[in-house]
Amino acid sequence: MNKYNLNQTLTTLTGPTKEQIIVGNQWAAVALDKFHKDSTAKINFLIDKKEEEAILEWDSDFSKAAMKEEIDMANHGGVALAFFVMSVLSNYGYVEQSEIGDGVDYRFKENEPDDDDLNFLDDFHYVEVSGILKESATNTLKNRIKIKHAQINRGGKKDKSSSVIVSLFSQPKTVKETHK
C-alpha cells in the first residue's frame, strides 16, 4: 500500500505560492482531523475508474483558531486534495484558477507554460472541484459528482479536456472522473 503526505504537493505543483498550498493543506487537515486521528488515514483514490487504497498523512501542527467554518473546510480542503491528485498522482505540475463562467475551478498543465503560451494556447486540463465533510441523505458523493459534471456542461469550457474531483473527508475518499 502506497503512503503519501499531503505536503508532497509543495514540491510537485507550481502556479500558486507555497503559502497558498500550505493554507489549503491546513484546511484539508482540519477537515480530516474531524474524523481521523494522529494525522493519518487510509484513503481511497478512485482516479478515472482506477482504484487505489493508500495511507495519507498530513501536518496538523498549526493553530486552528481561524479555521472553524465547515463550509470552508470542505471547499478549501477539497481544493487541496484536488491539487494533490492532479500533481502527485496524475503528474500535472502547474495550476491556475479559472474564471467565473468557465464551469470549472482550475486549469492544469503538465509543465509550467511560457508567458507566450499562456496567451495563445488553450491546451489545459480543466477541473471542477468539490468537497464534502460527511454525506447526508441529499448530499452524497455520487450526487455531488453528477452535479459537478452538469456544471461543466453549462460552462464555457464544456468542450475542453476536463474532469470532476470530489473529496469526502469522513471516509475518506477522493474521486476523479474525466468529463465526457
Side-chain angles (χ1 to χ4, degrees):
M1 183 177 301
N2 286 325
K3 188 177 194 179
Y4 300 106
N5 190 299
L6 194 55
N7 285 333
Q8 286 177 257
T9 310
L10 290 166
T11 59
T12 57
L13 191 63
T14 61
T17 64
K18 298 293 182 198
E19 293 79 7
Q20 285 176 296
I21 294 171
I22 290 168
V23 170
N25 286 354
Q26 288 175 338
W27 279 110
V30 171
L32 288 162
D33 283 344
K34 288 180 77 61
F35 307 100
H36 313 284
K37 296 186 184 322
D38 301 323
S39 302
T40 187
K42 194 179 289 185
I43 186 168
N44 184 285
F45 292 109
L46 185 58
I47 312 296
D48 294 321
K49 299 183 181 174
K50 182 182 176 200
E51 193 166 5
E52 176 188 2
E53 192 170 68
I55 300 296
L56 181 65
E57 298 176 334
W58 57 89
D59 175 19
S60 297
D61 189 22
F62 58 89
S63 172
K64 291 122 183 122
M67 299 180 128
K68 304 288 186 194
E69 181 54 55
E70 290 187 344
I71 291 172
D72 289 336
M73 289 177 206
N75 289 339
H76 298 302
V79 169
L81 282 170
F83 283 7
F84 177 86
V85 164
M86 291 301 290
S87 66
V88 176
L89 302 181
S90 303
N91 297 315
Y92 284 86
Y94 178 77
V95 65
E96 293 181 350
Q97 189 175 38
S98 57
E99 299 192 25
I100 291 176
D102 284 346
V104 291
D105 296 311
Y106 294 93
R107 61 189 203 163
F108 290 82
K109 283 184 74 81
E110 288 183 10
N111 299 303
E112 186 168 350
D114 294 331
D115 288 339
D116 292 339
D117 291 342
L118 283 174
N119 294 328
F120 299 105
L121 299 178
D122 189 9
D123 58 350
F124 289 88
H125 184 79
Y126 292 88
V127 177
E128 175 59 19
V129 178
S130 190
I132 303 171
L133 287 184
K134 61 182 178 180
E135 290 183 311
S136 66
T138 56
N139 191 19
T140 65
L141 188 61
K142 184 177 180 178
N143 192 44
R144 183 68 65 89
I145 292 166
K146 182 179 173 182
I147 289 167
K148 293 301 171 179
H149 280 294
Q151 184 173 328
I152 292 174
N153 282 334
R154 292 190 305 272
K157 301 297 181 184
K158 64 184 171 198
D159 296 325
K160 300 289 182 180
S161 171
S162 59
S163 294
V164 169
I165 299 179
V166 181
S167 293
L168 175 62
F169 290 91
S170 61
Q171 293 196 301
K173 183 174 188 171
T174 297
V175 178
K176 176 190 175 288
E177 283 187 3
T178 300
H179 182 74
K180 298 183 187 337

